Amino acid sequence: MTTSTPDTAEQPPAPQVWPTLRAHDACALIRFLVDAFGFEETVVYGDGDLVEHAQLSWPEGGGIMLGSVREEQEPGTGPTPPGAFSAYVVTADPDAVHARAKAAGAEITADLHVTDYGSRDFAARDPEGNRWYFGTYRGEPR
Protein backbone atom coordinates (compact mmCIF):
# COMPACT_ATOMS: atom_id res chain seq x y z
CA MET A 1 0.00 0.00 0.00
CA THR A 2 1.32 3.41 -0.99
CA THR A 3 0.47 6.54 0.91
CA SER A 4 1.29 10.13 0.19
CA THR A 5 1.03 13.29 2.16
CA PRO A 6 -1.46 15.91 1.02
CA ASP A 7 1.41 18.20 -0.02
CA THR A 8 2.97 15.70 -2.44
CA ALA A 9 -0.35 14.36 -3.70
CA GLU A 10 -1.52 17.78 -4.90
CA GLN A 11 1.77 19.37 -5.97
CA PRO A 12 3.37 18.57 -9.33
CA PRO A 13 7.03 17.61 -9.16
CA ALA A 14 9.56 20.42 -9.27
CA PRO A 15 10.88 21.13 -12.80
CA GLN A 16 13.82 18.87 -13.59
CA VAL A 17 14.16 19.50 -17.31
CA TRP A 18 15.99 22.73 -18.14
CA PRO A 19 16.36 23.65 -21.81
CA THR A 20 19.72 25.31 -22.46
CA LEU A 21 21.03 27.58 -25.19
CA ARG A 22 23.91 29.87 -26.11
CA ALA A 23 23.75 33.45 -27.33
CA HIS A 24 26.12 35.77 -29.18
CA ASP A 25 24.89 38.58 -26.91
CA ALA A 26 23.59 36.79 -23.82
CA CYS A 27 23.05 40.01 -21.86
CA ALA A 28 20.79 41.42 -24.60
CA LEU A 29 18.95 38.11 -24.96
CA ILE A 30 18.26 38.00 -21.23
CA ARG A 31 16.84 41.54 -21.33
CA PHE A 32 14.68 40.60 -24.34
CA LEU A 33 13.31 37.41 -22.77
CA VAL A 34 12.47 39.29 -19.57
CA ASP A 35 10.96 42.34 -21.27
CA ALA A 36 9.19 40.71 -24.23
CA PHE A 37 8.01 37.39 -22.82
CA GLY A 38 7.99 37.84 -19.05
CA PHE A 39 10.72 35.45 -17.95
CA GLU A 40 12.22 36.32 -14.57
CA GLU A 41 15.97 36.73 -14.12
CA THR A 42 16.81 34.32 -11.33
CA VAL A 43 20.61 34.37 -11.49
CA VAL A 44 23.31 35.58 -13.88
CA TYR A 45 26.97 34.67 -13.36
CA GLY A 46 29.59 36.32 -15.50
CA ASP A 47 31.83 39.29 -16.02
CA GLY A 48 30.97 42.23 -18.27
CA ASP A 49 29.49 41.00 -21.54
CA LEU A 50 30.36 37.35 -20.81
CA VAL A 51 27.55 35.32 -19.24
CA GLU A 52 28.95 32.09 -17.83
CA HIS A 53 25.54 30.86 -16.66
CA ALA A 54 22.09 32.37 -16.33
CA GLN A 55 18.80 30.96 -15.15
CA LEU A 56 15.56 32.56 -16.26
CA SER A 57 12.46 31.28 -14.51
CA TRP A 58 9.03 31.13 -16.10
CA PRO A 59 6.49 32.59 -13.63
CA GLU A 60 4.12 29.65 -14.20
CA GLY A 61 6.83 27.03 -13.55
CA GLY A 62 10.11 25.81 -15.02
CA GLY A 63 12.62 27.91 -16.89
CA ILE A 64 15.68 27.93 -19.10
CA MET A 65 19.44 28.21 -18.70
CA LEU A 66 21.68 30.12 -21.06
CA GLY A 67 25.12 31.57 -21.48
CA SER A 68 27.44 33.28 -23.92
CA VAL A 69 28.89 31.44 -26.89
CA ARG A 70 32.25 29.94 -26.00
CA GLU A 71 34.77 30.34 -28.81
CA GLU A 72 36.88 27.45 -27.49
CA GLN A 73 33.94 25.02 -27.50
CA GLU A 74 34.06 22.35 -30.18
CA PRO A 75 31.11 22.29 -32.61
CA GLY A 76 28.46 19.77 -31.63
CA THR A 77 29.23 19.89 -27.91
CA GLY A 78 27.45 21.84 -25.22
CA PRO A 79 24.14 23.69 -25.38
CA THR A 80 22.29 24.52 -28.58
CA PRO A 81 24.08 27.16 -30.66
CA PRO A 82 22.53 30.60 -31.20
CA GLY A 83 19.47 30.59 -33.43
CA ALA A 84 19.00 26.80 -33.34
CA PHE A 85 16.84 26.61 -30.20
CA SER A 86 13.07 26.31 -29.91
CA ALA A 87 10.79 25.79 -26.93
CA TYR A 88 7.11 25.50 -26.13
CA VAL A 89 6.21 27.53 -23.04
CA VAL A 90 2.94 26.85 -21.25
CA THR A 91 0.92 29.85 -20.16
CA ALA A 92 -2.60 30.28 -18.86
CA ASP A 93 -2.81 33.66 -20.64
CA PRO A 94 -1.28 33.54 -24.13
CA ASP A 95 -3.16 36.72 -25.09
CA ALA A 96 -1.30 38.71 -22.42
CA VAL A 97 2.08 37.21 -23.35
CA HIS A 98 1.35 37.92 -27.04
CA ALA A 99 0.43 41.55 -26.28
CA ARG A 100 3.58 41.97 -24.18
CA ALA A 101 5.76 40.43 -26.90
CA LYS A 102 4.28 42.66 -29.61
CA ALA A 103 4.66 45.78 -27.44
CA ALA A 104 8.34 44.90 -26.88
CA GLY A 105 8.92 44.52 -30.63
CA ALA A 106 9.22 40.74 -30.80
CA GLU A 107 8.98 39.19 -34.25
CA ILE A 108 5.66 37.31 -34.18
CA THR A 109 5.96 34.35 -36.56
CA ALA A 110 2.48 32.88 -35.94
CA ASP A 111 -0.34 35.01 -34.60
CA LEU A 112 -2.73 33.82 -31.90
CA HIS A 113 -4.73 30.82 -33.04
CA VAL A 114 -6.47 27.72 -31.70
CA THR A 115 -4.75 24.46 -32.63
CA ASP A 116 -6.53 21.31 -33.77
CA TYR A 117 -5.99 19.91 -30.25
CA GLY A 118 -7.60 22.92 -28.55
CA SER A 119 -4.59 24.95 -27.39
CA ARG A 120 -4.49 28.72 -27.85
CA ASP A 121 -0.99 29.42 -29.22
CA PHE A 122 1.30 31.93 -30.89
CA ALA A 123 4.94 31.87 -31.97
CA ALA A 124 7.76 34.41 -31.94
CA ARG A 125 11.45 34.66 -32.76
CA ASP A 126 14.02 36.30 -30.47
CA PRO A 127 16.87 38.55 -31.71
CA GLU A 128 19.25 35.56 -31.83
CA GLY A 129 16.85 33.67 -34.14
CA ASN A 130 15.53 31.17 -31.59
CA ARG A 131 11.88 30.14 -31.94
CA TRP A 132 9.44 30.39 -29.03
CA TYR A 133 5.96 28.92 -28.93
CA PHE A 134 3.52 29.95 -26.20
CA GLY A 135 0.21 28.27 -25.52
CA THR A 136 -2.26 26.73 -23.14
CA TYR A 137 -1.47 23.06 -23.86
CA ARG A 138 -0.10 21.55 -20.62
CA GLY A 139 0.59 18.08 -21.98
CA GLU A 140 -1.35 14.93 -21.33
CA PRO A 141 -1.80 13.76 -17.72
CA ARG A 142 0.54 11.04 -16.53
Side-chain angles (χ1 to χ4, degrees), residues 95-140:
D95 294 74
V97 178
H98 179 265
R100 179 182 186 142
K102 282 186 79 166
E107 177 189 353
I108 305 299
T109 58
D111 228 339
L112 284 163
H113 64 283
V114 176
T115 67
D116 56 355
Y117 49 90
S119 181
R120 184 153 173 79
D121 289 8
F122 80 94
R125 189 180 335 264
D126 70 32
E128 296 267 342
N130 300 301
R131 295 164 313 280
W132 297 87
Y133 304 88
F134 295 87
T136 57
Y137 180 69
R138 296 190 178 279
E140 291 302 315

mmCIF file of all heavy atoms in Angstrom, residues 95-140:
data_model
loop_
_atom_site.group_PDB
_atom_site.id
_atom_site.type_symbol
_atom_site.label_atom_id
_atom_site.label_comp_id
_atom_site.label_asym_id
_atom_site.label_seq_id
_atom_site.Cartn_x
_atom_site.Cartn_y
_atom_site.Cartn_z
ATOM 1 N N ASP A 95 -2.814 35.401 -24.559
ATOM 2 C CA ASP A 95 -3.161 36.720 -25.088
ATOM 3 C C ASP A 95 -2.312 37.808 -24.430
ATOM 4 O O ASP A 95 -1.831 38.722 -25.108
ATOM 5 C CB ASP A 95 -4.650 37.006 -24.898
ATOM 6 C CG ASP A 95 -5.512 36.080 -25.734
ATOM 7 O OD1 ASP A 95 -5.636 34.888 -25.377
ATOM 8 O OD2 ASP A 95 -6.046 36.541 -26.749
ATOM 9 N N ALA A 96 -2.111 37.716 -23.131
ATOM 10 C CA ALA A 96 -1.304 38.708 -22.420
ATOM 11 C C ALA A 96 0.165 38.602 -22.813
ATOM 12 O O ALA A 96 0.830 39.631 -23.012
ATOM 13 C CB ALA A 96 -1.465 38.543 -20.907
ATOM 14 N N VAL A 97 0.686 37.381 -22.946
ATOM 15 C CA VAL A 97 2.083 37.208 -23.348
ATOM 16 C C VAL A 97 2.264 37.728 -24.776
ATOM 17 O O VAL A 97 3.245 38.412 -25.085
ATOM 18 C CB VAL A 97 2.533 35.737 -23.225
ATOM 19 C CG1 VAL A 97 3.970 35.564 -23.698
ATOM 20 C CG2 VAL A 97 2.390 35.242 -21.792
ATOM 21 N N HIS A 98 1.311 37.438 -25.651
ATOM 22 C CA HIS A 98 1.350 37.915 -27.037
ATOM 23 C C HIS A 98 1.369 39.442 -27.076
ATOM 24 O O HIS A 98 2.184 40.051 -27.787
ATOM 25 C CB HIS A 98 0.143 37.353 -27.794
ATOM 26 C CG HIS A 98 0.055 37.780 -29.213
ATOM 27 N ND1 HIS A 98 -0.700 38.863 -29.614
ATOM 28 C CD2 HIS A 98 0.616 37.274 -30.332
ATOM 29 C CE1 HIS A 98 -0.604 38.999 -30.922
ATOM 30 N NE2 HIS A 98 0.196 38.042 -31.388
ATOM 31 N N ALA A 99 0.488 40.082 -26.317
ATOM 32 C CA ALA A 99 0.434 41.547 -26.282
ATOM 33 C C ALA A 99 1.752 42.123 -25.768
ATOM 34 O O ALA A 99 2.271 43.104 -26.314
ATOM 35 C CB ALA A 99 -0.738 42.010 -25.417
ATOM 36 N N ARG A 100 2.311 41.514 -24.738
ATOM 37 C CA ARG A 100 3.581 41.967 -24.176
ATOM 38 C C ARG A 100 4.699 41.828 -25.211
ATOM 39 O O ARG A 100 5.518 42.733 -25.386
ATOM 40 C CB ARG A 100 3.898 41.154 -22.923
ATOM 41 C CG ARG A 100 5.200 41.515 -22.275
ATOM 42 C CD ARG A 100 5.473 40.640 -21.057
ATOM 43 N NE ARG A 100 6.653 41.104 -20.385
ATOM 44 C CZ ARG A 100 6.811 41.143 -19.081
ATOM 45 N NH1 ARG A 100 5.846 40.727 -18.290
ATOM 46 N NH2 ARG A 100 7.925 41.587 -18.558
ATOM 47 N N ALA A 101 4.731 40.680 -25.887
ATOM 48 C CA ALA A 101 5.764 40.427 -26.895
ATOM 49 C C ALA A 101 5.673 41.442 -28.032
ATOM 50 O O ALA A 101 6.689 41.997 -28.467
ATOM 51 C CB ALA A 101 5.636 39.000 -27.420
ATOM 52 N N LYS A 102 4.467 41.691 -28.527
ATOM 53 C CA LYS A 102 4.283 42.664 -29.605
ATOM 54 C C LYS A 102 4.704 44.057 -29.158
ATOM 55 O O LYS A 102 5.375 44.775 -29.896
ATOM 56 C CB LYS A 102 2.827 42.672 -30.078
ATOM 57 C CG LYS A 102 2.488 41.510 -30.987
ATOM 58 C CD LYS A 102 1.102 41.617 -31.541
ATOM 59 C CE LYS A 102 1.109 42.604 -32.690
ATOM 60 N NZ LYS A 102 -0.086 42.551 -33.519
ATOM 61 N N ALA A 103 4.317 44.448 -27.948
ATOM 62 C CA ALA A 103 4.664 45.777 -27.435
ATOM 63 C C ALA A 103 6.178 45.951 -27.306
ATOM 64 O O ALA A 103 6.703 47.053 -27.462
ATOM 65 C CB ALA A 103 3.981 46.012 -26.090
ATOM 66 N N ALA A 104 6.892 44.841 -27.038
ATOM 67 C CA ALA A 104 8.343 44.900 -26.882
ATOM 68 C C ALA A 104 9.069 44.755 -28.221
ATOM 69 O O ALA A 104 10.296 44.778 -28.265
ATOM 70 C CB ALA A 104 8.803 43.799 -25.921
ATOM 71 N N GLY A 105 8.316 44.598 -29.307
ATOM 72 C CA GLY A 105 8.921 44.517 -30.632
ATOM 73 C C GLY A 105 9.363 43.132 -31.055
ATOM 74 O O GLY A 105 10.150 42.988 -31.991
ATOM 75 N N ALA A 106 8.855 42.100 -30.404
ATOM 76 C CA ALA A 106 9.216 40.738 -30.799
ATOM 77 C C ALA A 106 8.687 40.441 -32.193
ATOM 78 O O ALA A 106 7.619 40.922 -32.585
ATOM 79 C CB ALA A 106 8.636 39.727 -29.800
ATOM 80 N N GLU A 107 9.431 39.641 -32.945
ATOM 81 C CA GLU A 107 8.980 39.191 -34.251
ATOM 82 C C GLU A 107 7.966 38.060 -34.048
ATOM 83 O O GLU A 107 8.339 36.962 -33.618
ATOM 84 C CB GLU A 107 10.157 38.702 -35.088
ATOM 85 C CG GLU A 107 9.749 38.155 -36.432
ATOM 86 C CD GLU A 107 10.874 37.467 -37.173
ATOM 87 O OE1 GLU A 107 12.042 37.510 -36.709
ATOM 88 O OE2 GLU A 107 10.582 36.856 -38.214
ATOM 89 N N ILE A 108 6.705 38.323 -34.317
ATOM 90 C CA ILE A 108 5.658 37.310 -34.176
ATOM 91 C C ILE A 108 5.644 36.496 -35.466
ATOM 92 O O ILE A 108 5.429 37.044 -36.547
ATOM 93 C CB ILE A 108 4.280 37.954 -33.915
ATOM 94 C CG1 ILE A 108 4.326 38.886 -32.688
ATOM 95 C CG2 ILE A 108 3.197 36.885 -33.784
ATOM 96 C CD1 ILE A 108 4.688 38.213 -31.382
ATOM 97 N N THR A 109 5.890 35.204 -35.361
ATOM 98 C CA THR A 109 5.959 34.345 -36.557
ATOM 99 C C THR A 109 4.663 33.591 -36.804
ATOM 100 O O THR A 109 4.440 33.098 -37.903
ATOM 101 C CB THR A 109 7.134 33.362 -36.448
ATOM 102 O OG1 THR A 109 6.981 32.573 -35.264
ATOM 103 C CG2 THR A 109 8.464 34.109 -36.398
ATOM 104 N N ALA A 110 3.824 33.460 -35.799
ATOM 105 C CA ALA A 110 2.483 32.878 -35.942
ATOM 106 C C ALA A 110 1.589 33.600 -34.947
ATOM 107 O O ALA A 110 1.854 33.588 -33.745
ATOM 108 C CB ALA A 110 2.479 31.379 -35.666
ATOM 109 N N ASP A 111 0.559 34.253 -35.465
ATOM 110 C CA ASP A 111 -0.337 35.009 -34.597
ATOM 111 C C ASP A 111 -1.172 34.066 -33.727
ATOM 112 O O ASP A 111 -1.177 32.846 -33.938
ATOM 113 C CB ASP A 111 -1.248 35.907 -35.422
ATOM 114 C CG ASP A 111 -1.295 37.328 -34.872
ATOM 115 O OD1 ASP A 111 -0.978 37.521 -33.684
ATOM 116 O OD2 ASP A 111 -1.644 38.232 -35.640
ATOM 117 N N LEU A 112 -1.874 34.608 -32.770
ATOM 118 C CA LEU A 112 -2.732 33.820 -31.896
ATOM 119 C C LEU A 112 -3.712 32.990 -32.717
ATOM 120 O O LEU A 112 -4.317 33.495 -33.665
ATOM 121 C CB LEU A 112 -3.502 34.732 -30.944
ATOM 122 C CG LEU A 112 -2.693 35.289 -29.776
ATOM 123 C CD1 LEU A 112 -3.404 36.478 -29.160
ATOM 124 C CD2 LEU A 112 -2.434 34.206 -28.744
ATOM 125 N N HIS A 113 -3.818 31.730 -32.355
ATOM 126 C CA HIS A 113 -4.735 30.819 -33.041
ATOM 127 C C HIS A 113 -5.051 29.653 -32.120
ATOM 128 O O HIS A 113 -4.359 29.428 -31.125
ATOM 129 C CB HIS A 113 -4.127 30.303 -34.346
ATOM 130 C CG HIS A 113 -2.894 29.459 -34.141
ATOM 131 N ND1 HIS A 113 -1.657 30.001 -33.855
ATOM 132 C CD2 HIS A 113 -2.729 28.118 -34.154
ATOM 133 C CE1 HIS A 113 -0.767 29.031 -33.719
ATOM 134 N NE2 HIS A 113 -1.396 27.875 -33.881
ATOM 135 N N VAL A 114 -6.112 28.920 -32.441
ATOM 136 C CA VAL A 114 -6.470 27.715 -31.696
ATOM 137 C C VAL A 114 -6.029 26.530 -32.542
ATOM 138 O O VAL A 114 -6.361 26.423 -33.725
ATOM 139 C CB VAL A 114 -7.986 27.659 -31.397
ATOM 140 C CG1 VAL A 114 -8.347 26.353 -30.702
ATOM 141 C CG2 VAL A 114 -8.385 28.849 -30.530
ATOM 142 N N THR A 115 -5.260 25.633 -31.920
ATOM 143 C CA THR A 115 -4.753 24.458 -32.630
ATOM 144 C C THR A 115 -5.848 23.408 -32.784
ATOM 145 O O THR A 115 -6.906 23.505 -32.145
ATOM 146 C CB THR A 115 -3.574 23.832 -31.863
ATOM 147 O OG1 THR A 115 -4.065 23.293 -30.625
ATOM 148 C CG2 THR A 115 -2.474 24.855 -31.600
ATOM 149 N N ASP A 116 -5.554 22.391 -33.585
ATOM 150 C CA ASP A 116 -6.531 21.313 -33.767
ATOM 151 C C ASP A 116 -6.711 20.469 -32.511
ATOM 152 O O ASP A 116 -7.659 19.704 -32.406
ATOM 153 C CB ASP A 116 -6.164 20.433 -34.963
ATOM 154 C CG ASP A 116 -4.780 19.834 -34.877
ATOM 155 O OD1 ASP A 116 -4.033 20.154 -33.933
ATOM 156 O OD2 ASP A 116 -4.434 19.044 -35.774
ATOM 157 N N TYR A 117 -5.838 20.618 -31.519
ATOM 158 C CA TYR A 117 -5.993 19.906 -30.246
ATOM 159 C C TYR A 117 -6.474 20.831 -29.129
ATOM 160 O O TYR A 117 -6.439 20.477 -27.953
ATOM 161 C CB TYR A 117 -4.703 19.166 -29.849
ATOM 162 C CG TYR A 117 -3.446 20.003 -29.923
ATOM 163 C CD1 TYR A 117 -3.004 20.724 -28.829
ATOM 164 C CD2 TYR A 117 -2.711 20.055 -31.106
ATOM 165 C CE1 TYR A 117 -1.857 21.491 -28.901
ATOM 166 C CE2 TYR A 117 -1.561 20.819 -31.190
ATOM 167 C CZ TYR A 117 -1.139 21.528 -30.088
ATOM 168 O OH TYR A 117 -0.002 22.288 -30.165
ATOM 169 N N GLY A 118 -6.915 22.047 -29.492
ATOM 170 C CA GLY A 118 -7.597 22.922 -28.551
ATOM 171 C C GLY A 118 -6.747 23.900 -27.774
ATOM 172 O O GLY A 118 -7.243 24.593 -26.887
ATOM 173 N N SER A 119 -5.461 24.002 -28.084
ATOM 174 C CA SER A 119 -4.594 24.946 -27.392
ATOM 175 C C SER A 119 -4.641 26.305 -28.078
ATOM 176 O O SER A 119 -4.742 26.396 -29.294
ATOM 177 C CB SER A 119 -3.145 24.441 -27.411
ATOM 178 O OG SER A 119 -2.285 25.321 -26.728
ATOM 179 N N ARG A 120 -4.577 27.362 -27.289
ATOM 180 C CA ARG A 120 -4.492 28.720 -27.850
ATOM 181 C C ARG A 120 -3.010 29.086 -27.854
ATOM 182 O O ARG A 120 -2.380 29.178 -26.799
ATOM 183 C CB ARG A 120 -5.298 29.697 -27.008
ATOM 184 C CG ARG A 120 -5.314 31.109 -27.595
ATOM 185 C CD ARG A 120 -6.577 31.853 -27.174
ATOM 186 N NE ARG A 120 -6.548 33.239 -27.576
ATOM 187 C CZ ARG A 120 -6.818 33.678 -28.811
ATOM 188 N NH1 ARG A 120 -7.136 32.816 -29.750
ATOM 189 N NH2 ARG A 120 -6.775 34.967 -29.093
ATOM 190 N N ASP A 121 -2.434 29.279 -29.042
ATOM 191 C CA ASP A 121 -0.989 29.423 -29.222
ATOM 192 C C ASP A 121 -0.621 30.644 -30.048
ATOM 193 O O ASP A 121 -1.439 31.169 -30.796
ATOM 194 C CB ASP A 121 -0.422 28.214 -29.979
ATOM 195 C CG ASP A 121 -0.401 26.924 -29.189
ATOM 196 O OD1 ASP A 121 -0.950 26.876 -28.088
ATOM 197 O OD2 ASP A 121 0.184 25.951 -29.703
ATOM 198 N N PHE A 122 0.652 31.019 -29.947
ATOM 199 C CA PHE A 122 1.295 31.925 -30.891
ATOM 200 C C PHE A 122 2.784 31.604 -30.885
ATOM 201 O O PHE A 122 3.273 30.867 -30.029
ATOM 202 C CB PHE A 122 1.030 33.406 -30.564
ATOM 203 C CG PHE A 122 1.891 33.986 -29.473
ATOM 204 C CD1 PHE A 122 3.073 34.658 -29.768
ATOM 205 C CD2 PHE A 122 1.504 33.886 -28.147
ATOM 206 C CE1 PHE A 122 3.858 35.198 -28.756
ATOM 207 C CE2 PHE A 122 2.272 34.425 -27.133
ATOM 208 C CZ PHE A 122 3.459 35.086 -27.443
ATOM 209 N N ALA A 123 3.497 32.125 -31.869
ATOM 210 C CA ALA A 123 4.936 31.866 -31.969
ATOM 211 C C ALA A 123 5.670 33.172 -32.234
ATOM 212 O O ALA A 123 5.128 34.096 -32.855
ATOM 213 C CB ALA A 123 5.217 30.869 -33.080
ATOM 214 N N ALA A 124 6.919 33.229 -31.759
ATOM 215 C CA ALA A 124 7.756 34.412 -31.942
ATOM 216 C C ALA A 124 9.210 33.982 -32.083
ATOM 217 O O ALA A 124 9.580 32.861 -31.722
ATOM 218 C CB ALA A 124 7.599 35.355 -30.745
ATOM 219 N N ARG A 125 10.015 34.896 -32.621
ATOM 220 C CA ARG A 125 11.447 34.657 -32.756
ATOM 221 C C ARG A 125 12.174 35.730 -31.949
ATOM 222 O O ARG A 125 11.816 36.903 -31.994
ATOM 223 C CB ARG A 125 11.848 34.716 -34.228
ATOM 224 C CG ARG A 125 13.260 34.270 -34.506
ATOM 225 C CD ARG A 125 13.654 34.339 -35.976
ATOM 226 N NE ARG A 125 12.591 34.250 -36.929
ATOM 227 C CZ ARG A 125 12.198 33.119 -37.555
ATOM 228 N NH1 ARG A 125 12.785 31.982 -37.273
ATOM 229 N NH2 ARG A 125 11.234 33.147 -38.444
ATOM 230 N N ASP A 126 13.235 35.328 -31.235
ATOM 231 C CA ASP A 126 14.017 36.303 -30.472
ATOM 232 C C ASP A 126 15.120 36.900 -31.360
ATOM 233 O O ASP A 126 15.323 36.435 -32.490
ATOM 234 C CB ASP A 126 14.547 35.685 -29.167
ATOM 235 C CG ASP A 126 15.630 34.636 -29.354
ATOM 236 O OD1 ASP A 126 16.420 34.730 -30.313
ATOM 237 O OD2 ASP A 126 15.699 33.704 -28.522
ATOM 238 N N PRO A 127 15.842 37.910 -30.884
ATOM 239 C CA PRO A 127 16.867 38.553 -31.709
ATOM 240 C C PRO A 127 18.010 37.628 -32.142
ATOM 241 O O PRO A 127 18.704 37.919 -33.109
ATOM 242 C CB PRO A 127 17.402 39.678 -30.819
ATOM 243 C CG PRO A 127 16.293 39.970 -29.876
ATOM 244 C CD PRO A 127 15.610 38.646 -29.643
ATOM 245 N N GLU A 128 18.209 36.515 -31.449
ATOM 246 C CA GLU A 128 19.250 35.558 -31.831
ATOM 247 C C GLU A 128 18.743 34.560 -32.873
ATOM 248 O O GLU A 128 19.511 33.750 -33.385
ATOM 249 C CB GLU A 128 19.750 34.798 -30.589
ATOM 250 C CG GLU A 128 20.427 35.671 -29.568
ATOM 251 C CD GLU A 128 21.941 35.767 -29.732
ATOM 252 O OE1 GLU A 128 22.543 34.912 -30.414
ATOM 253 O OE2 GLU A 128 22.518 36.705 -29.151
ATOM 254 N N GLY A 129 17.430 34.587 -33.154
ATOM 255 C CA GLY A 129 16.846 33.674 -34.140
ATOM 256 C C GLY A 129 16.190 32.446 -33.556
ATOM 257 O O GLY A 129 15.682 31.592 -34.293
ATOM 258 N N ASN A 130 16.168 32.315 -32.236
ATOM 259 C CA ASN A 130 15.526 31.169 -31.589
ATOM 260 C C ASN A 130 14.011 31.299 -31.714
ATOM 261 O O ASN A 130 13.466 32.390 -31.727
ATOM 262 C CB ASN A 130 15.925 31.103 -30.111
ATOM 263 C CG ASN A 130 17.417 30.958 -29.952
ATOM 264 O OD1 ASN A 130 18.012 30.017 -30.428
ATOM 265 N ND2 ASN A 130 18.025 31.937 -29.304
ATOM 266 N N ARG A 131 13.328 30.166 -31.775
ATOM 267 C CA ARG A 131 11.878 30.139 -31.939
ATOM 268 C C ARG A 131 11.201 29.772 -30.631
ATOM 269 O O ARG A 131 11.571 28.808 -29.970
ATOM 270 C CB ARG A 131 11.508 29.146 -33.044
ATOM 271 C CG ARG A 131 12.041 29.608 -34.399
ATOM 272 C CD ARG A 131 12.048 28.530 -35.460
ATOM 273 N NE ARG A 131 12.589 27.232 -35.080
ATOM 274 C CZ ARG A 131 13.889 26.932 -35.022
ATOM 275 N NH1 ARG A 131 14.794 27.833 -35.290
ATOM 276 N NH2 ARG A 131 14.283 25.719 -34.687
ATOM 277 N N TRP A 132 10.189 30.564 -30.275
ATOM 278 C CA TRP A 132 9.445 30.394 -29.031
ATOM 279 C C TRP A 132 7.973 30.206 -29.354
ATOM 280 O O TRP A 132 7.402 30.977 -30.122
ATOM 281 C CB TRP A 132 9.615 31.627 -28.141
ATOM 282 C CG TRP A 132 11.037 31.822 -27.724
ATOM 283 C CD1 TRP A 132 12.004 32.493 -28.410
ATOM 284 C CD2 TRP A 132 11.648 31.312 -26.548
ATOM 285 N NE1 TRP A 132 13.189 32.448 -27.714
ATOM 286 C CE2 TRP A 132 12.996 31.720 -26.572
ATOM 287 C CE3 TRP A 132 11.192 30.552 -25.478
ATOM 288 C CZ2 TRP A 132 13.891 31.407 -25.572
ATOM 289 C CZ3 TRP A 132 12.075 30.244 -24.467
ATOM 290 C CH2 TRP A 132 13.410 30.657 -24.518
ATOM 291 N N TYR A 133 7.380 29.196 -28.768
ATOM 292 C CA TYR A 133 5.961 28.918 -28.932
ATOM 293 C C TYR A 133 5.323 29.031 -27.554
ATOM 294 O O TYR A 133 5.832 28.466 -26.582
ATOM 295 C CB TYR A 133 5.755 27.509 -29.512
ATOM 296 C CG TYR A 133 6.488 27.332 -30.810
ATOM 297 C CD1 TYR A 133 7.815 26.909 -30.836
ATOM 298 C CD2 TYR A 133 5.862 27.614 -32.019
ATOM 299 C CE1 TYR A 133 8.498 26.780 -32.029
ATOM 300 C CE2 TYR A 133 6.541 27.485 -33.219
ATOM 301 C CZ TYR A 133 7.865 27.070 -33.216
ATOM 302 O OH TYR A 133 8.537 26.937 -34.410
ATOM 303 N N PHE A 134 4.230 29.754 -27.458
ATOM 304 C CA PHE A 134 3.523 29.950 -26.200
ATOM 305 C C PHE A 134 2.093 29.477 -26.381
ATOM 306 O O PHE A 134 1.464 29.767 -27.404
ATOM 307 C CB PHE A 134 3.515 31.429 -25.802
ATOM 308 C CG PHE A 134 4.878 31.965 -25.497
ATOM 309 C CD1 PHE A 134 5.677 32.475 -26.511
ATOM 310 C CD2 PHE A 134 5.362 31.948 -24.200
ATOM 311 C CE1 PHE A 134 6.938 32.963 -26.234
ATOM 312 C CE2 PHE A 134 6.633 32.437 -23.918
ATOM 313 C CZ PHE A 134 7.421 32.939 -24.936
ATOM 314 N N GLY A 135 1.583 28.739 -25.401
ATOM 315 C CA GLY A 135 0.212 28.272 -25.516
ATOM 316 C C GLY A 135 -0.311 27.642 -24.242
ATOM 317 O O GLY A 135 0.399 27.506 -23.243
ATOM 318 N N THR A 136 -1.559 27.253 -24.309
ATOM 319 C CA THR A 136 -2.259 26.733 -23.135
ATOM 320 C C THR A 136 -2.128 25.224 -22.967
ATOM 321 O O THR A 136 -2.522 24.701 -21.923
ATOM 322 C CB THR A 136 -3.755 27.084 -23.214
ATOM 323 O OG1 THR A 136 -4.296 26.561 -24.434
ATOM 324 C CG2 THR A 136 -3.971 28.593 -23.160
ATOM 325 N N TYR A 137 -1.563 24.522 -23.944
ATOM 326 C CA TYR A 137 -1.470 23.063 -23.858
ATOM 327 C C TYR A 137 -0.470 22.658 -22.789
ATOM 328 O O TYR A 137 0.716 22.968 -22.875
ATOM 329 C CB TYR A 137 -1.075 22.467 -25.206
ATOM 330 C CG TYR A 137 -0.973 20.971 -25.186
ATOM 331 C CD1 TYR A 137 -2.107 20.176 -25.049
ATOM 332 C CD2 TYR A 137 0.259 20.342 -25.313
ATOM 333 C CE1 TYR A 137 -2.016 18.799 -25.029
ATOM 334 C CE2 TYR A 137 0.361 18.963 -25.301
ATOM 335 C CZ TYR A 137 -0.777 18.202 -25.162
ATOM 336 O OH TYR A 137 -0.685 16.829 -25.143
ATOM 337 N N ARG A 138 -0.932 21.955 -21.751
ATOM 338 C CA ARG A 138 -0.096 21.555 -20.624
ATOM 339 C C ARG A 138 0.411 20.121 -20.722
ATOM 340 O O ARG A 138 0.989 19.597 -19.777
ATOM 341 C CB ARG A 138 -0.857 21.745 -19.310
ATOM 342 C CG ARG A 138 -1.172 23.196 -19.041
ATOM 343 C CD ARG A 138 -1.703 23.415 -17.634
ATOM 344 N NE ARG A 138 -1.947 24.818 -17.393
ATOM 345 C CZ ARG A 138 -1.002 25.697 -17.053
ATOM 346 N NH1 ARG A 138 0.225 25.318 -16.914
ATOM 347 N NH2 ARG A 138 -1.310 26.966 -16.874
ATOM 348 N N GLY A 139 0.169 19.476 -21.839
ATOM 349 C CA GLY A 139 0.587 18.081 -21.977
ATOM 350 C C GLY A 139 -0.504 17.168 -21.448
ATOM 351 O O GLY A 139 -1.435 17.597 -20.756
ATOM 352 N N GLU A 140 -0.377 15.925 -21.786
ATOM 353 C CA GLU A 140 -1.349 14.929 -21.330
ATOM 354 C C GLU A 140 -1.029 14.506 -19.895
ATOM 355 O O GLU A 140 0.143 14.438 -19.527
ATOM 356 C CB GLU A 140 -1.324 13.710 -22.253
ATOM 357 C CG GLU A 140 -1.869 14.017 -23.633
ATOM 358 C CD GLU A 140 -3.288 14.540 -23.612
ATOM 359 O OE1 GLU A 140 -4.127 13.962 -22.894
ATOM 360 O OE2 GLU A 140 -3.559 15.532 -24.314
#
